[in-house]
Amino acid sequence: MLDLHWLKTFVTLAEYKHFGRAAAALHMTQPNVSLHLKQLEQTTRVKLIERNPFRLTQAGMRLLDTSQKTLQELQICQADLNAMNDLCQGTLTIAASDIISRLLLIQPFQLFKKEFPGIDFSLLNTTSYQASELVISAQADLGFVIAQKESQPLHFTELQQINWCALGDNLELWQQASLPADTPLAEQPTLILLGHDTRTRELLEPALPSLNLPRYRIMEVGSVDAQIDWAEAGFGVAIVPEFSIYTKAGLRSKITPLPQFPSTSLGYIVRQNQILSKAIKQLLHWVNQEIIRSARP
């Protein structure tokens, strides 16, 4: 019989390719990692890992594939069992970007803590891509994302439409200017955008030519808040979702709506056929109320 603890150790070891780093990730000692591997190899009666240099054997690769699927299915099953039992103790894990969690989740979470004092919540600061992977693997119970496409094994529910705006004083001047081809890079317009590893950037990239800037350079930052801060400091024009500036008091830079940019959706994702607990359903109700409240003039 294969022990689940051995399988988890093996999967982690295959991921880190190093006994010491795998031990640290598992909060184990290195000798215990070696012991789990030895017990697994003795039980399966095959060699799973070559140590110098580190690599999986053919048998190890076969076991890794099954182990990953088995551990993921067990994690998904446990999440569904918790929901069936209307879990009143434990942890609810939410994956969301910083801007979404800050604007939409703070007040709902305050209500949640009063209603479900026995349930702690863990908030994972992620991109929409990362949130999808966490929900698929049941490492997150719920994800809040932008521009999610409906696809197996996820179910996406729209909460609100998102439109875009430009934050910065010089956009109109740049559009009217005629820059020669040899304009130094330092004198070209600067667009402040999120990185290429975000769904937002993927969505906006095809729309940038509609700004009618013959040439420009791009400054990449890691969050919408950073975009706003750099634009306010005069370093360029940030392309941001309109809802991100609703709660920003005292913005000095000009805000230009961008109706030519494609609108998208903000919503939440769960696994297909995922059982939602009473706590999750109530949290989603409060989030929807918060969206309605924030949209009022």
Side-chain angles (χ1 to χ4, degrees):
M1 178 70 69
L2 298 182
D3 188 292
L4 290 177
H5 293 96
W6 302 346
L7 294 180
K8 184 175 182 181
T9 299
F10 174 65
V11 168
T12 306
L13 188 56
E15 176 185 356
Y16 284 92
K17 299 179 175 62
H18 188 277
F19 281 79
R21 288 194 288 270
L26 292 164
H27 305 289
M28 294 169 57
T29 64
Q30 189 167 328
N32 276 342
V33 171
S34 298
L35 177 61
H36 279 193
L37 177 63
K38 180 180 178 181
Q39 291 169 320
L40 191 56
E41 289 184 327
Q42 287 176 341
T43 302
T44 58
R45 293 179 292 182
V46 292
K47 190 174 183 62
L48 300 171
I49 288 177
E50 298 287 356
R51 295 184 180 237
N52 293 308
F54 186 101
R55 69 177 182 83
L56 296 182
T57 64
Q58 184 176 3
M61 289 188 287
R62 177 65 182 86
L63 181 61
L64 176 63
D65 180 62
T66 297
S67 298
Q68 288 172 325
K69 293 176 182 176
T70 298
L71 292 173
Q72 180 172 319
E73 282 300 314
L74 285 172
Q75 188 163 358
I76 290 172
C77 178
Q78 184 62 63
D80 285 342
L81 291 175
N82 290 342
M84 288 177 185
N85 291 330
D86 274 334
L87 186 68
C88 58
Q89 299 284 333
T91 301
L92 178 64
T93 302
I94 308 293
S97 69
D98 178 71
I99 188 67
I100 292 175
S101 62
R102 197 169 46 78
L103 292 181
L104 296 182
L105 300 183
I106 290 178
Q107 187 163 341
F109 274 161
Q110 289 174 329
L111 296 171
F112 184 90
K113 288 302 295 179
K114 291 180 181 178
E115 182 76 16
F116 303 98
I119 303 179
D120 191 15
F121 63 84
S122 175
L123 184 60
L124 305 177
N125 185 7
T126 67
T127 66
S128 292
Y129 284 123
Q130 293 166 339
S132 297
E133 293 302 314
L134 290 168
V135 172
I136 288 172
S137 65
Q139 295 178 67
D141 301 290
L142 186 65
F144 290 91
V145 299
I146 289 177
Q148 173 70 44
K149 295 178 181 178
E150 181 74 34
S151 62
Q152 292 282 357
L154 294 175
H155 176 72
F156 174 73
T157 300
E158 179 182 303
L159 292 171
Q160 72 175 100
Q161 280 282 303
I162 294 177
N163 296 312
W164 305 92
C165 65
L167 179 68
D169 295 329
N170 297 319
L171 179 61
E172 191 173 349
L173 291 175
W174 292 344
Q175 291 171 325
Q176 294 172 354
S178 179
L179 297 179
D182 59 351
T183 300
L185 188 63
E187 297 178 15
Q188 292 181 20
T190 299
L191 296 181
I192 305 170
L193 305 174
L194 294 180
H196 276 93
D197 61 340
T198 62
R199 189 168 285 140
T200 296
R201 178 67 177 276
E202 181 185 81
L203 177 75
L204 294 184
E205 195 78 34
L208 294 180
S210 69
L211 294 174
N212 296 319
L213 300 175
R215 53 188 54 83
Y216 56 85
R217 58 179 181 168
I218 290 175
M219 176 181 180
E220 289 189 356
V221 296
S223 69
V224 175
D225 272 343
Q227 286 182 276
I228 293 172
D229 289 344
W230 283 101
E232 281 285 274
F235 284 88
V237 170
I239 309 300
V240 296
E242 285 186 346
F243 78 86
S244 67
I245 61 175
Y246 290 161
T247 60
K248 292 284 187 181
L251 289 177
R252 301 180 304 275
S253 302
K254 183 177 180 180
I255 300 170
T256 305
L258 298 174
Q260 73 274 28
F261 274 54
S263 62
T264 187
S265 301
L266 182 152
Y268 67 87
I269 49 173
V270 294
R271 298 183 309 280
Q272 293 278 12
N273 303 317
Q274 179 178 340
I275 299 171
L276 299 184
S277 66
K278 175 183 176 182
I280 289 180
K281 291 177 181 177
Q282 185 60 63
L283 177 64
L284 290 172
H285 172 71
W286 284 325
V287 169
N288 198 50
Q289 285 188 323
E290 179 67 11
I291 288 174
I292 294 172
R293 185 193 64 79
S294 64
R296 290 174 184 153

